[in-house]
Amino acid sequence: MTLRIASSAQIVSPKLVARATELSALLSTLGSPPAVAVVEGEAGIGKTRLVRELTTELAGTLVLTGGCGHIREPFPLGPVLEALRGTGERLAAASLSPVAGALRPLLPELAHVLPLAPEPLDDRVGERHRVFRGLAELLATLGVVVLVLEDMHWADEQTVEFLGYLLSDPPTGLSVVLTYRGEEVGVGVRALTSRLPTAVARTRVALTPFGTAETQELAASILGTARVSEDFALYLRERTSGLPFAIQELLALLRARGSLVRRDGGWARKTIDELDVPAGVRDSVLERVSRLSPAARAVVESGAVLEAHVPIGTLLATCRIPAGEAETGLDEALERGLLIERSGLVGFRHLLAVQAVYGSVPLSRRRDLHARAGAAVGRLSPVPLGQLAHHLRHSGQLDAWVSAAEQAADQATALGDDDEAAHLLEAVLREAPLDPVRRAELAVKLGWASTRTLKVVAELDALSAALAHDPPQPLRGELRFLYALGLDRTAAEPHLQWRAFTDAVESLDGRPDLVAQAMVGLGLPTTPAVPLAEHVGWLERALEQLPAIDDAPLRAFVLGKVAMVLTAVGDPRWAELSDRLLAQTGGRPVHRREVGAFGSLGEDACYAGRYEFSDRMLSAALLGAPGCDLTRWMEFKCRAALAVLAYARGAWAGLREEIAFLAERLVDHPRELAILDTVKACLTLASGEVEQSRLGLLDVVERATRMGAIDLLPIAMGALLRQSGEPPAGVAAAIAVWDTKRLWPVAVRVLPPLVDALVTAGRQDEAEALTDRLGRELATLDAPLAPPSLAHARGLLAAVASDPATASAEFLAAVDDYDRLGCPYEAAQARELAAAGLFALGDERAADLLNAALTGYASLGARWDLDRASHLARRRGVPSPARHRGGPSGYGGDLSPREREVATLAATGLTNREIATELFLSTKTVDKHLSAALRKLGLRSRAALARRLDGGA
């Protein structure tokens, strides 16, 4: 007997299939809050189903769920706010701090339990920080709670920023579950789990496609039978690639055809062979749609155009058929499982089905449906501006689209979602027909939004196009200024930046705030052909603008930038300007511009050898960065500068790990990457990997030269010279730039290795002339690096002239000055050279000096130098200090922070590949850290590691 299965039977498995291990891992992790769990997998793999089963298993625990949409609204933090909207009853008795009142505009549903809104701040970043604090307080007040955020590959930037803020110090009862498609998710989302506090439990579940056995189990569950044949399961597996959603759709299609038959409790092979089913989700979905009535097809097509889940009335209003017929069609679509209803909203179960149906709708009908959808969503309150702009755009109503997109961008900007504002405006400027004035107005908004984003937005083409249409003043001047800022942010060719800032100054009458910033841009000595005097002239003109500027943070910015350049060129006026900056801010920068001023001045103070002052400024900037920049870009920028300072001061322990961490987060910022790569290559040289270092340094020198980073260049060039034996290509050009810009107060650090290379190349006269000239020029400047560098260079010249007494005296003078400045690496090199000269003189001080050099190299982990100095010690019969073996210098037998982090994850049972994904490292790096940890702890297995860490290593 053949039993035909009814078309209205279930199409979703009533039980979770083949994901018990993953569910158990999630439950185990979430049982020990604070915790973070990631569920990763491609579209249709079953992430949402797994999370729903997890929610069921967590009965009795408060689970808050929010999702990110494919069509984004200009409303930041959407998924987080969605999750919190229904918590009013639980918060009714809570005593919330005033800062929670900042959430009133975002959560009107909770207005009855929230404190009054605080007075607004004249600082959008400060407002955002207050919102973040308020959200964190609500989650903490709710106690033990699981926050589920789905489809994080579509998350807005503020949601990602908030999660970074939240997870840096999560409430003790909070667990967070994130789901995303691994192939589409941004680096910012992945990075959320890479630096969690050690107390936070974490797990990552990667869902993979079903094999034949899992497909067999799923099909049997959906069909309500004990089993299906292996042949039938293999047939399903081959045509769906093992995606659970595709398996469900294919079974639903077979059911709709009436082709599913069951004989004697199993599936017959003959029936399978007779089936002619098209492969893939798209064809399966479309064939199911084709079997609907015309009214139901009309409803389904309308739902595909709307894409988002919407109120029933909005869906019916979008349909091109009478309301009564549409209601009947909706009932049929719901009964057949093509649409679903949740909390009064209707839509498709999965975006894959949306895309399949949407692509099948003829263009003319699709445009008409978009027009109807735009009218329907425009009647909602509040109007979902993102959806409205989307439908107007695709219906061809371009003027209306421009208006809606601008309104949406304005809303996004007001709420601090600059990334979404830039995205909306860039699309309008790229595609919409606009008159010159309108184009310029929108381009100005895009330019300002782009200055506040973490990523370097590709706005330059839009700004350039707006300028090409010759807009009127004052729009032209503001556009030119923003275009120049964009070139600066992308590290464009220095001469292009110079031209753009020059054009801006000429067009900015009546805007002293913008004029001063443009003049600062012209004052930065990055354009090779421009003499220093012209740069300084622009900086002096920028200072003249300060009395007309009411904005105190902007005044601080100008003071910091001018002082930055003056410290690099040895102009003593830097000190007076720095004092003004410190007095104006109280030494504690709180505004974004103030933090930028402290950071810039601190960075160049480091290049100039003012290490204590640099540390003071950069540490203050780092402390102020979180309060004014929740993207963490300013924090990462400060940490990049601090990495240079750590290298210069010999604080190398953990520096490689810090550089790797920062490089992953500053991938879109060329100058900061050049800074990090410079330090990395210098450390690589010191460790003895000479060829790898050489290649890295050559690359950095080329990039730094191209982008005009001539203050950074001496560090990289010096390291390259030390290993080259003779001056490499590019040295002459660098010397010419340092001469033109009179930047020798910063570049003088390169003099000792440059002199050594010139002497090696037989150009001793040239080396002597350069040293003498710089001695005269630097004598009148404020240049802390000049005394030790000149003494070091003179010592090298005396040594080659076979004058060990003079050479040793010069080297010892260099040692004293290096020690005074806090330059242990250079001091060790000078001690080694002094010892060599004193050995030649038979001076008993030689052995102690050489031992001090060896100790210095060993403490730094400078193996390349240690090997060279040890060779001299052996020749002179001087015992060498014990060598450091294994692990970054500075930790000895203790685990470094990264080794402990890797070991902790390994002890939980994660594989090296899983740890690499969790920490955003390569598997090779994970293996290195794990091997070092096992060696230091005297262990041989992960099981032993788990026992040791449980007992406290």
Side-chain angles (χ1 to χ4, degrees):
M1 176 181 179
T2 299
L3 175 66
R4 193 170 296 277
I5 298 177
S7 63
S8 60
Q10 66 186 20
I11 64 169
V12 178
S13 171
K15 67 175 184 176
L16 183 68
V17 171
R19 302 294 193 205
T21 300
E22 292 86 348
L23 179 60
S24 176
L26 292 174
L27 288 170
S28 175
T29 299
L30 301 185
S32 302
V36 177
V38 170
V39 180
E40 178 181 349
E42 61 186 296
I45 200 69
K47 299 184 294 296
T48 298
R49 179 60 189 271
L50 177 60
V51 167
R52 286 184 184 162
E53 290 293 330
L54 174 67
T55 302
T56 301
E57 291 292 328
L58 291 171
T61 299
L62 176 61
V63 179
L64 308 177
T65 302
C68 307
H70 186 224
I71 301 177
R72 283 179 23 183
E73 292 297 326
F75 203 74
L77 302 164
V80 180
L81 300 176
E82 176 189 348
L84 287 167
R85 284 196 178 102
T87 59
E89 184 176 343
R90 290 177 177 266
L91 294 170
S95 178
L96 298 172
S97 73
V99 75
L103 302 178
R104 275 179 167 264
L106 302 176
L107 288 168
E109 300 88 348
L110 302 184
H112 62 292
V113 300
L114 293 174
L116 295 176
E119 288 295 320
L121 300 174
D122 187 23
D123 180 357
R124 292 194 310 118
V125 177
E127 291 279 10
R128 194 190 314 179
H129 188 244
R130 199 153 61 178
V131 167
F132 283 16
R133 289 173 56 200
L135 290 172
E137 181 180 349
L138 290 194
L139 290 168
T141 302
L142 291 169
V144 178
V145 59
V146 177
L147 175 64
V148 178
L149 300 179
E150 297 195 74
D151 295 325
M152 283 293 294
H153 47 278
W154 290 324
D156 64 276
E157 291 294 330
Q158 276 202 44
T159 295
V160 179
E161 293 162 23
F162 169 67
L163 287 173
Y165 170 85
L166 179 70
L167 296 179
S168 66
D169 185 19
T172 56
L174 175 69
S175 295
V176 176
V177 179
L178 307 175
T179 77
Y180 54 69
R181 301 177 188 173
E183 71 277 10
E184 296 181 29
V185 73
V187 64
V189 176
R190 284 195 180 276
L192 289 172
T193 57
S194 65
R195 281 273 181 165
L196 294 173
T198 56
V200 177
R202 81 282 313 263
T203 192
R204 174 181 167 273
V205 170
L207 300 183
T208 57
F210 281 178
T212 302
E214 293 89 351
T215 302
Q216 190 174 21
E217 183 181 357
L218 179 62
S221 178
I222 292 173
L223 298 173
T225 185
R227 64 179 180 85
V228 299
S229 71
E230 186 174 345
D231 284 344
F232 183 60
L234 182 61
Y235 167 87
L236 293 173
R237 171 70 179 79
E238 289 174 348
R239 283 160 174 76
T240 62
S241 300
L243 287 179
F245 175 76
I247 295 168
Q248 294 171 359
E249 288 297 322
L250 182 52
L251 286 171
L253 170 61
L254 298 178
R255 177 183 294 117
R257 286 182 170 184
S259 300
L260 294 182
V261 294
R262 190 167 55 190
R263 291 176 180 156
D264 301 323
W267 295 93
R269 175 70 184 177
K270 180 180 179 182
T271 304
I272 298 172
D273 289 340
E274 292 171 353
L275 298 178
D276 179 23
V277 182
V281 174
R282 178 183 178 277
D283 292 339
S284 300
V285 171
L286 293 183
E287 186 166 340
R288 289 180 64 200
V289 172
S290 71
R291 295 176 180 275
L292 298 174
S293 67
R297 283 201 301 272
V299 171
V300 168
E301 288 183 355
S302 299
V305 168
L306 284 162
E307 187 176 318
H309 284 221
V310 296
I312 291 174
T314 302
L315 174 60
L316 298 180
T318 303
C319 291
R320 292 158 36 111
I321 58 177
E325 294 180 27
E327 290 178 1
T328 302
L330 175 59
D331 288 341
E332 182 182 346
L334 291 169
E335 180 186 358
R336 298 295 181 91
L338 278 158
L339 299 181
I340 60 172
E341 183 272 332
R342 291 179 187 159
S343 304
L345 303 179
V346 290
F348 281 82
R349 285 191 301 115
H350 203 286
L351 185 63
L352 289 176
V354 172
Q355 294 168 337
V357 176
Y358 184 85
S360 73
V361 180
L363 179 60
S364 60
R365 188 154 80 234
R366 192 188 306 166
R367 284 168 63 95
D368 180 60
L369 285 170
H370 273 298
R372 297 176 67 88
V377 300
R379 291 190 289 270
L380 295 174
S381 181
V383 177
L385 291 172
Q387 293 181 46
L388 177 61
H390 172 80
H391 294 305
L392 291 173
R393 177 184 184 182
H394 290 283
S395 66
Q397 302 177 71
L398 297 186
D399 289 342
W401 167 45
V402 171
S403 178
E406 182 182 22
Q407 187 180 356
D410 288 345
Q411 177 177 302
T413 298
L415 295 169
D417 194 356
D418 295 301
D419 290 272
E420 183 62 17
H423 170 75
L424 289 161
L425 292 167
E426 194 275 331
V428 167
L429 288 164
R430 186 179 64 250
E431 298 183 19
L434 301 165
D435 65 69
V437 173
R438 190 81 173 103
R439 180 176 295 277
E441 291 171 343
L442 294 175
V444 165
K445 290 185 176 183
L446 169 63
W448 284 117
S450 298
T451 65
R452 297 183 292 264
T453 59
L454 175 60
K455 298 177 182 177
V456 180
V457 180
E459 86 279 14
L460 291 177
D461 288 343
L463 296 178
S464 179
L467 285 167
H469 285 79
D470 195 24
Q473 287 283 46
L475 288 170
R476 183 168 65 253
E478 195 167 0
L479 277 173
R480 284 178 170 174
F481 172 73
L482 291 166
Y483 181 69
L485 285 185
L487 289 174
D488 179 59
R489 293 188 75 212
T490 56
E493 296 289 343
H495 71 276
L496 296 177
Q497 298 179 45
W498 176 268
R499 174 66 182 275
F501 278 122
T502 302
D503 290 343
V505 168
E506 295 172 353
S507 308
L508 284 170
D509 290 340
R511 293 294 303 273
D513 55 335
L514 301 187
V515 168
Q517 293 177 72
M519 289 177 173
V520 166
L522 292 168
L524 302 179
T526 57
T527 310
V530 179
L532 176 64
E534 190 168 347
H535 290 299
V536 173
W538 283 113
L539 294 175
E540 291 170 344
R541 292 178 62 184
L543 291 173
E544 292 170 1
Q545 303 292 319
L546 292 184
I549 298 175
D550 296 327
D551 185 347
L554 179 55
R555 292 199 303 271
F557 172 82
V558 173
L559 288 171
K561 287 292 186 179
V562 176
M564 173 194 76
V565 176
L566 296 184
T567 192
V569 300
D571 188 322
R573 290 179 292 174
W574 76 269
E576 185 266 333
L577 294 176
S578 298
D579 288 343
R580 288 172 60 184
L581 173 62
L582 291 166
Q584 178 177 310
T585 59
R588 299 184 61 183
V590 295
H591 189 278
R592 184 184 182 94
R593 292 187 185 279
E594 295 171 345
V595 170
F598 273 62
S600 297
L601 178 52
E603 181 181 335
D604 266 47
C606 171
Y607 297 140
R610 296 184 178 87
Y611 298 142
E612 289 187 8
F613 179 77
S614 172
D615 192 8
R616 176 184 179 185
M617 301 303 285
L618 289 173
S619 297
L622 186 62
L623 188 63
C628 67
D629 178 27
L630 296 173
T631 68
R632 300 187 71 188
W633 177 75
M634 299 194 78
E635 174 201 335
F636 297 149
K637 180 179 172 65
C638 288
R639 287 168 64 176
L642 283 166
V644 181
L645 181 61
Y647 171 75
R649 300 176 89 178
W652 295 2
L655 193 50
R656 285 179 180 269
E657 289 82 2
E658 173 74 352
I659 290 169
F661 172 81
L662 293 173
E664 293 163 359
R665 286 146 184 82
L666 291 167
V667 67
D668 292 325
H669 297 270
R671 179 179 171 85
E672 282 66 38
L673 277 182
I675 290 172
L676 296 170
D677 288 344
T678 294
V679 179
K680 177 182 177 182
C682 290
L683 291 173
T684 302
L685 173 63
S687 70
E689 301 171 73
V690 178
E691 179 60 18
Q692 183 179 345
S693 170
R694 186 184 71 85
L695 294 175
L697 288 167
L698 286 171
D699 177 59
V700 167
V701 166
E702 187 276 328
R703 286 154 52 197
T705 303
R706 174 165 37 83
M707 71 178 69
I710 50 182
D711 48 359
L712 169 67
L713 191 57
I715 296 177
M717 186 67 78
L720 188 60
L721 284 164
R722 287 192 67 212
Q723 61 177 289
S724 297
E726 60 182 40
V731 169
I735 291 175
V737 172
W738 294 328
D739 278 337
T740 300
K741 304 299 185 184
R742 303 186 68 81
L743 271 175
W744 282 108
V746 166
V748 71
R749 69 168 68 239
V750 84
L751 184 61
L754 177 56
V755 164
D756 197 22
L758 288 171
V759 168
T760 301
R763 296 157 62 182
Q764 184 174 343
D765 291 346
E766 187 178 338
E768 291 175 349
L770 178 61
T771 302
D772 290 342
R773 177 169 68 86
L774 292 183
R776 293 190 302 271
E777 292 178 2
L778 292 170
T780 60
L781 299 178
D782 186 359
L785 287 173
S789 299
L790 287 165
H792 195 156
R794 290 170 182 143
L796 292 168
L797 291 169
V800 78
S802 300
D803 184 358
T806 301
S808 299
E810 292 286 3
F811 290 137
L812 288 172
V815 167
D816 290 341
D817 286 328
Y818 281 137
D819 283 342
R820 178 177 51 81
L821 290 178
C823 308
Y825 192 29
E826 290 82 357
Q829 294 168 40
R831 284 187 171 91
E832 178 189 352
L833 292 168
L838 292 175
F839 275 125
L841 295 171
D843 193 313
E844 60 184 14
R845 293 176 295 171
D848 288 342
L849 274 171
L850 184 56
N851 261 320
L854 290 166
T855 300
Y857 292 143
S859 64
L860 290 168
R863 297 186 186 92
W864 185 56
D865 304 270
L866 186 59
D867 287 343
R868 181 189 62 249
S870 296
H871 180 68
L872 174 61
R874 286 193 297 272
R875 284 196 297 113
R876 294 294 183 175
V878 177
S880 298
R883 292 198 179 204
H884 167 73
R885 299 186 182 279
S889 174
Y891 293 107
D894 296 331
L895 301 187
S896 73
R898 184 62 92 178
E899 288 166 354
R900 178 169 292 278
E901 193 171 23
V902 169
T904 300
L905 291 176
T908 67
L910 294 184
T911 66
N912 284 7
R913 183 175 295 279
E914 290 170 335
I915 296 171
T917 300
E918 183 77 15
L919 298 182
F920 220 57
L921 300 172
S922 69
T923 53
K924 183 178 179 181
T925 299
V926 170
D927 181 67
K928 181 190 75 172
H929 288 310
L930 183 58
S931 297
L934 291 171
R935 182 176 66 252
K936 287 182 179 183
L937 296 173
L939 303 175
R940 296 185 178 182
S941 69
R942 292 174 184 243
L945 180 64
R947 290 192 295 272
R948 172 68 66 85
L949 292 182
D950 283 344

